[in-house]
Amino acid sequence: MKGKGLRLIRVSPAAGCPTRGHLIAGNRVFPIALGRSGIRQNKREGDGATPRGRFKLLRIWWRTDRLTRPRTKLPLRRITKDDG
């Protein structure tokens, strides 16, 4: 994928565990955590669900203690101890 942009990221739940899943980006697969209520089409604030749908990526947030600075054309923001 060198020199090409990533156009699609997919998320799917793991079989038998609604709070765990996989993020598929190109030919790479990453384990992920989902909301306590799994993935839901009709997401409501506070329901503990991960929203289902198609979303445009607007920015990247990353943890400097876990990853080096990602190479991307999207705006970047470091997550700090004061966030969240």
Side-chain angles (χ1 to χ4, degrees):
M1 276 191 5
K2 192 168 184 136
K4 293 186 179 185
L6 183 62
R7 301 198 47 88
L8 178 67
I9 297 172
R10 285 185 25 230
V11 171
S12 62
C17 186
T19 62
R20 296 285 175 199
H22 302 95
L23 182 143
I24 302 125
N27 62 354
R28 299 189 67 185
V29 178
F30 303 93
I32 59 168
L34 299 170
R36 69 179 184 272
S37 300
I39 299 173
R40 294 227 174 131
Q41 180 72 33
N42 297 320
K43 166 83 178 105
R44 296 218 188 326
E45 186 67 31
D47 65 4
T50 297
R52 180 178 183 204
R54 291 178 181 236
F55 306 97
K56 182 177 180 179
L57 294 178
L58 301 176
R59 69 186 60 84
I60 302 289
W61 294 58
W62 95 99
R63 287 181 52 172
T64 57
D65 62 325
R66 299 242 178 134
L67 297 170
T68 58
R69 186 175 197 260
R71 288 180 25 186
T72 179
K73 291 182 180 181
L74 291 170
L76 289 167
R77 185 173 188 286
R78 264 179 281 146
I79 297 173
T80 68
K81 63 181 181 175
D82 297 328
D83 290 321

